[in-house]
Amino acid sequence: MAVEEEGLRVFQSVKIKIGKVAIQKEDLQKYHNRDTWFQLQHVDADSEVQGKVHLELRLSEVITDSGVVCHKLATRILECQGLPIVNGQCDPYATVTLAGPCRSEAKKTKVKKKTNNPQFDEVFYFEVTRPCSYSRKSHFDFEDEDVDKLEIRVDLWNASNLKFGDEFLGELRVPLKVLRQSSPHEAWYFLQPRDNGSKSLKPGDLGSLRLNVVYTEDHVFSSDYYSPLRDLLLKSADVEPVSASAAHILGEVCREKQEAAIPLVRLFLHYGRVVPFISAIASAEVRRTQDPNTIFRGNSLTSKCIDETMKLAGMQYLHVTLKPTIEEICQSHKSCEIDPVRLKDGESLESNMENLRQFVDRVFSVITKSGVSCPTVMCDIFFSLREAAAKRFQDDLDVRYTAVSSFIFLRFFAPAILSPNLFQLTPHHTDPQTSRTLTLVSKTIQTLGSLSKSKSASFKESYMAAFYEFFNEQKYADAVKNFLDLISSSGRRDPKSVQQPILLKEGFMIKRAQGRKRFGMKNFKKRWFRLTNHEFTYQKSKGDPPLYSIPIENILAVEPLEEESFKMKNMFQVIQPERALYIQANNCVEAKAWIDILTKVSQCNQKRLAVYHPSAYLNGHWLCCRASSDTAAGCSPCTGGLPANIQLDIDGDRETERIYSLFTSYMSKLEKMQEACGSRSVYDGPEQEEYSTFIIDDPQETYKTLKQVVAGVGALEQEHAQYKRDKFRRTKYGSQEHPIGDKSFQSYIRQQSETPAHSM
């Protein structure tokens, strides 16, 4: 749409709704996990409804002064739930109409402001039949049998200040003949669309949409029901071999490894067992890998579990690292096309290459400098991958890097750069030009992170190989290795298990003498500080022997020091068991960088402090809390310093229920696996083809676990069957849980009534 305005042409984009796909809740299971074409339907405001209404009807006989009987209807609107939000608000009211062939009488509730769960609790009275002696003919004159032709209609509306009028939210119609069965009548109802909603429109005029619907419905019991199966799963990391564990077996029987990985990772994260489990299955996979160049390249259970862990634990890390730079690329709209065939008229290949090079440099820099922000759980997993790969392929010195880079670059950063909207880095899909720029950046970053020996040859396109020459320098490989060293060596339990220490940071700072001599001067001296994954040291100058060394495991906390302590800025303290080392950095940026990285490498130390003294101990007392003892407990909580750990809202019982559902749906494969174990134990000849898809390293141990899995699943199956029987007996149609109009519940009731008693 173009608008002429004082000689300027202003282009506005207009979003037009083409149509919709609507699937009944009771039909969702029919389309579960398969591609289906659905006819588009017209989008009609009268048919877009949601929410439910609590209604009570009471028909009473009233004796008039003359002694004759008439009937009055009391209609009580109690409340509504789940009404839609319209244009950012919901100010609902209801109209109540008694309607029949010859009459219509309407009344209205008060408007309830700013709520989509209004509490009305209003009663309206309608005269249903007049006394028989009433002589004047009018539309109020009915015989008793005409009551069955009347209905109560409740319409919900959103009060609007717009000139277009109030918005329709939904309606329900209740025939008064329901009062023949029971009076009073009280029930919940689902709101329905208007009778004329979309009926006059042909559904086939708008085309079709192909969807893949995944539908799950969980009925989660209390925690004790899941104990046997949950305990069996959680001990998977300790089972030898790990291929005989319950978690690994789940990955073997599921059609897609992703199906198993999602609930397993969430369950293990919830109980703090994800690192040992992934370490165990990763080590087993590495032992089966013959070529170091193919390590972790397949869609194995290990790869899917690590992907899922990074997705859950690393989303905040991803946002902190990439979002500002991605936003800058999206807003700049600089042309970065380097394919000569795709160049537009007037574009310069050299200029585009320079634009792209700057973007790649910026993204590469923020990634390789982000190591201190990498979540601890990811670092611990990367350490286990690094160690397993280095042990398996001792002659390949780069494998300890490629084992980690295949995840952090190939499966974490590169996909986020390529499709930022899928990782909530952008609110919507990027425009074609920006999308192309991000594709080129992603491909380059992926290759930089791969550390392959012939990088240019890894590109299929000659123009990408030519562009990559900009980055064919040792400084890029060194930056990648330093980054990988940091994220795969920090935060682990045994930092000295790697023979060679890894240099993480070094530079000049000023330290205060620690006063190890009773009468020594506690002055300030400039020293060269050096941090590795083994120790934190200082010396007079670079290359000199260390004057003092702090093992990483002895660092109890790293915190800022209040300026008042020594009237000096940019100070921090490295707290040890005996004393604190006070250090002044060159500026606030350097101080934060040192605090971050020192905290990072020591954050898993078992004796880390929970509290510390933010000021120094001088003149016989702590300046912060005035405590006189130099060994007095700290007075302020330690900050931790990093957004490295994660807090996830995970329901462990629900994840176990999902795993149970997976085992149930793949029960036939579990039985096949049992057969395979028996066959392999007894007969050690050529393997039957139908069993060859399973990894079974120890048939006896695997069979034992399979029996436990089947027993645990069977016990839960019995509990679910009993729950369904009890639910069928006690559930009332028209309750708040199952309002009238709930077609899925009607279908359920019909199925239960058709099921023979012995099969339930």
Side-chain angles (χ1 to χ4, degrees):
M1 178 185 294
V3 181
E4 296 285 347
E5 209 173 275
E6 295 184 1
L8 296 175
R9 299 187 73 198
V10 181
F11 287 87
Q12 298 177 337
S13 62
V14 179
K15 294 181 179 178
I16 301 174
K17 294 178 180 177
I18 298 174
K20 70 174 184 180
V21 168
I23 307 172
Q24 298 278 358
K25 181 183 175 183
E26 61 269 22
D27 294 335
L28 285 171
Q29 191 61 43
K30 292 194 300 188
Y31 304 112
H32 171 64
N33 208 23
R34 61 189 180 91
D35 289 349
T36 309
W37 284 97
F38 294 92
Q39 289 288 332
L40 285 175
Q41 303 171 16
H42 290 272
V43 179
D44 176 17
D46 285 345
S47 65
E48 304 298 311
V49 302
Q50 67 182 60
K52 51 190 176 184
V53 182
H54 193 187
L55 181 69
E56 184 180 333
L57 302 177
R58 186 186 297 270
L59 190 62
S60 305
E61 290 184 346
V62 179
I63 302 176
T64 65
D65 294 339
S66 59
V68 294
V69 177
C70 68
H71 292 88
K72 285 197 174 181
L73 175 70
T75 303
R76 184 183 179 195
I77 304 292
L78 288 99
E79 60 182 312
C80 297
Q81 284 188 355
L83 298 178
I85 304 296
V86 181
N87 297 322
Q89 67 175 24
C90 189
D91 298 329
Y93 69 90
T95 59
V96 184
T97 306
L98 179 65
C102 305
R103 66 182 291 189
S104 179
E105 183 182 356
K107 299 183 181 183
K108 176 183 170 183
T109 68
K110 295 176 182 177
V111 176
K112 298 295 181 180
K113 293 287 188 179
K114 298 180 180 178
T115 176
N116 66 335
N117 298 306
Q119 300 283 328
F120 291 114
D121 201 9
E122 295 188 41
V123 182
F124 301 100
Y125 294 94
F126 297 93
E127 210 167 59
V128 176
T129 60
R130 285 284 191 173
C132 297
S133 59
Y134 190 74
S135 58
R136 191 161 62 91
K137 292 292 184 181
S138 73
H139 63 280
F140 293 106
D141 190 8
F142 288 96
E143 300 295 332
D144 279 351
E145 59 267 21
D146 290 332
V147 171
D148 286 351
K149 299 178 182 178
L150 297 177
E151 69 176 8
I152 282 290
R153 191 178 78 237
V154 179
D155 294 270
L156 267 294
W157 300 85
N158 179 51
S160 173
N161 295 323
L162 301 175
K163 61 181 179 180
F164 304 110
D166 298 344
E167 292 96 355
F168 174 75
L169 301 180
E171 71 171 18
L172 64 92
R173 295 170 180 262
V174 184
L176 291 197
K177 62 183 178 182
V178 300
L179 296 171
R180 298 281 190 198
Q181 288 100 29
S182 63
S183 183
H185 170 77
E186 182 262 332
W188 283 85
Y189 287 83
F190 271 128
L191 284 171
Q192 302 295 329
R194 280 177 174 157
D195 279 348
N196 62 347
S198 298
K199 282 193 176 178
S200 62
L201 302 170
K202 294 181 180 179
D205 294 341
L206 301 176
S208 302
L209 182 68
R210 190 172 75 167
L211 295 177
N212 186 295
V213 178
V214 177
Y215 175 75
T216 58
E217 183 176 317
D218 299 328
H219 297 274
V220 183
F221 297 124
S222 56
S223 190
D224 54 310
Y225 285 90
Y226 297 104
S227 293
L229 182 59
R230 182 178 58 238
D231 294 345
L232 188 63
L233 290 161
L234 290 177
K235 72 176 186 180
S236 293
D238 304 320
V239 174
E240 284 290 344
V242 72
S243 60
S245 68
H248 195 280
I249 286 170
L250 180 66
E252 287 297 290
V253 298
C254 284
R255 185 176 61 181
E256 300 289 341
K257 302 296 184 186
Q258 186 78 1
E259 282 184 291
I262 292 174
L264 283 175
V265 165
R266 294 177 69 86
L267 179 70
F268 286 123
L269 271 173
H270 180 68
Y271 288 100
R273 298 285 295 159
V274 74
V275 174
F277 171 65
I278 290 180
S279 299
I281 60 175
S283 296
E285 181 173 332
V286 169
R287 286 194 294 270
R288 289 192 294 268
T289 304
Q290 300 302 316
D291 184 353
N293 295 315
T294 62
I295 195 167
F296 300 126
R297 294 291 176 174
N299 288 321
S300 62
L301 182 63
T302 304
S303 299
K304 291 302 182 183
C305 283
I306 296 175
D307 286 350
E308 189 62 25
T309 305
M310 292 193 300
K311 188 186 301 180
L312 290 170
M315 192 59 74
Q316 178 64 24
Y317 170 46
L318 200 61
H319 279 226
V320 169
T321 305
L322 286 184
K323 192 169 185 179
T325 309
I326 295 294
E327 287 177 346
E328 182 185 341
I329 293 173
C330 292
Q331 292 166 7
S332 69
H333 294 293
K334 289 183 179 179
S335 178
C336 297
E337 183 54 70
I338 59 173
D339 182 356
V341 178
R342 295 191 181 197
L343 281 181
K344 297 178 182 177
D345 293 340
E347 286 186 349
S348 164
L349 182 60
E350 291 74 18
S351 176
N352 287 5
M353 274 196 170
E354 179 59 22
N355 290 340
L356 183 59
R357 187 191 66 77
Q358 289 180 7
F359 284 147
V360 170
D361 260 332
R362 209 158 303 165
V363 172
F364 180 80
S365 178
V366 296
I367 289 175
T368 53
K369 291 179 180 177
S370 71
V372 294
S373 300
C374 187
T376 305
V377 67
M378 288 173 59
C379 292
D380 289 344
I381 289 171
F382 293 151
F383 169 65
S384 65
L385 301 183
R386 174 193 183 107
E387 294 294 273
K391 185 177 179 180
R392 172 73 174 85
F393 301 104
Q394 296 180 12
D395 295 334
D396 191 328
L397 298 180
D398 283 337
V399 74
R400 65 184 189 272
Y401 295 115
T402 55
V404 178
S405 67
S406 63
F407 287 102
I408 195 70
F409 281 100
L410 182 66
R411 306 172 84 114
F412 187 66
F413 284 121
I417 298 167
L418 185 65
S419 305
N421 62 299
L422 298 181
F423 297 83
Q424 292 82 52
L425 296 173
T426 57
H428 46 71
H429 288 282
T430 54
D431 61 82
Q433 179 177 307
T434 304
S435 180
R436 174 64 176 165
T437 298
L438 293 174
T439 300
L440 296 173
V441 171
S442 178
K443 292 174 75 169
T444 311
I445 291 295
Q446 183 176 318
T447 306
L448 277 167
S450 69
L451 292 170
S452 59
K453 300 195 171 45
S454 56
K455 296 176 182 178
S456 297
S458 64
F459 292 108
K460 296 177 182 177
E461 310 92 342
S462 57
Y463 62 84
M464 283 300 299
F467 172 70
Y468 194 80
E469 291 302 317
F470 283 117
F471 307 96
N472 200 10
E473 299 180 34
Q474 189 60 36
K475 66 176 183 179
Y476 290 101
D478 291 343
V480 169
K481 288 184 176 181
N482 288 338
F483 168 67
L484 295 174
D485 280 336
L486 179 56
I487 65 172
S488 63
S489 64
S490 58
R492 59 178 178 264
R493 276 68 180 169
D494 185 14
K496 293 184 179 177
S497 60
V498 178
Q499 291 182 356
Q500 292 298 320
I502 301 165
L503 178 63
L504 302 176
K505 189 172 175 62
E506 60 182 347
F508 276 113
M509 291 190 289
I510 296 171
K511 64 96 185 175
R512 181 177 183 262
Q514 299 183 75
R516 292 189 297 277
K517 297 178 181 177
R518 187 173 179 82
F519 300 104
M521 292 184 62
K522 298 180 181 178
N523 56 353
F524 290 87
K525 294 183 179 179
K526 187 176 183 180
R527 291 289 182 257
W528 180 263
F529 285 83
R530 192 169 186 270
L531 175 66
T532 71
N533 59 315
H534 290 187
E535 59 187 358
F536 181 49
T537 63
Y538 63 77
Q539 54 224 55
K540 282 189 176 181
S541 297
K542 186 176 182 179
D544 289 347
L547 297 173
Y548 186 70
S549 171
I550 306 174
I552 293 299
E553 56 267 29
N554 284 358
I555 297 177
L556 306 184
V558 185
E559 297 288 344
L561 187 69
E562 289 182 350
E563 187 178 333
E564 289 74 15
S565 296
F566 301 107
K567 309 300 180 188
M568 298 169 66
K569 295 182 178 180
N570 310 318
M571 291 200 71
F572 63 94
Q573 52 185 315
V574 181
I575 304 172
Q576 311 163 70
E578 296 84 16
R579 63 183 68 84
L581 174 61
Y582 299 130
I583 303 171
Q584 183 188 36
N586 298 325
N587 52 59
C588 61
V589 175
E590 271 293 293
K592 184 180 184 307
W594 276 104
I595 291 172
D596 284 351
I597 196 166
L598 281 163
T599 302
K600 181 69 179 174
V601 297
S602 64
Q603 63 189 338
C604 287
N605 289 349
Q606 294 182 354
K607 296 182 180 180
R608 275 189 65 85
L609 296 178
V611 291
Y612 79 108
H613 292 284
S615 292
Y617 182 81
L618 294 173
N619 302 322
H621 64 267
W622 292 98
L623 298 181
C624 43
C625 61
R626 313 302 293 180
S628 58
S629 172
D630 60 350
T631 59
C635 56
S636 295
C638 289
T639 60
L642 293 169
N645 292 313
I646 52 168
Q647 296 295 326
L648 295 173
D649 183 17
I650 295 176
D651 185 334
D653 297 331
R654 186 177 186 186
E655 301 309 324
T656 312
E657 169 66 28
R658 288 177 175 173
I659 292 171
Y660 150 76
S661 298
L662 285 172
F663 275 132
T664 302
S665 60
Y666 289 108
M667 186 55 71
S668 60
K669 279 199 170 185
L670 286 173
E671 293 168 355
K672 282 283 184 190
M673 202 169 182
Q674 284 181 308
E675 292 174 13
C677 289
S679 172
R680 195 166 302 182
S681 298
V682 176
Y683 177 62
D684 198 22
E687 189 174 24
Q688 295 184 40
E689 188 176 345
E690 59 181 325
Y691 301 148
S692 61
T693 56
F694 301 125
I695 294 175
I696 301 174
D697 297 316
D698 186 328
Q700 287 85 3
E701 196 66 32
T702 305
Y703 188 81
K704 188 192 303 181
T705 305
L706 280 163
K707 282 188 67 176
Q708 292 174 298
V709 168
V710 171
V713 169
L716 280 170
E717 224 163 7
Q718 290 180 4
E719 295 295 344
H720 277 280
Q722 185 62 47
Y723 165 79
K724 289 180 179 179
R725 289 194 291 269
D726 293 344
K727 181 180 178 182
F728 177 68
R729 281 195 292 265
R730 67 174 180 262
T731 301
K732 176 186 174 185
Y733 189 47
S735 64
Q736 183 176 359
E737 184 183 7
H738 294 291
I740 294 172
D742 184 352
K743 295 180 180 178
S744 61
F745 183 69
Q746 286 178 302
S747 175
Y748 170 76
I749 293 291
R750 188 166 54 252
Q751 290 173 6
Q752 293 299 313
S753 62
E754 293 171 356
T755 304
H758 68 272
S759 66
M760 296 178 65

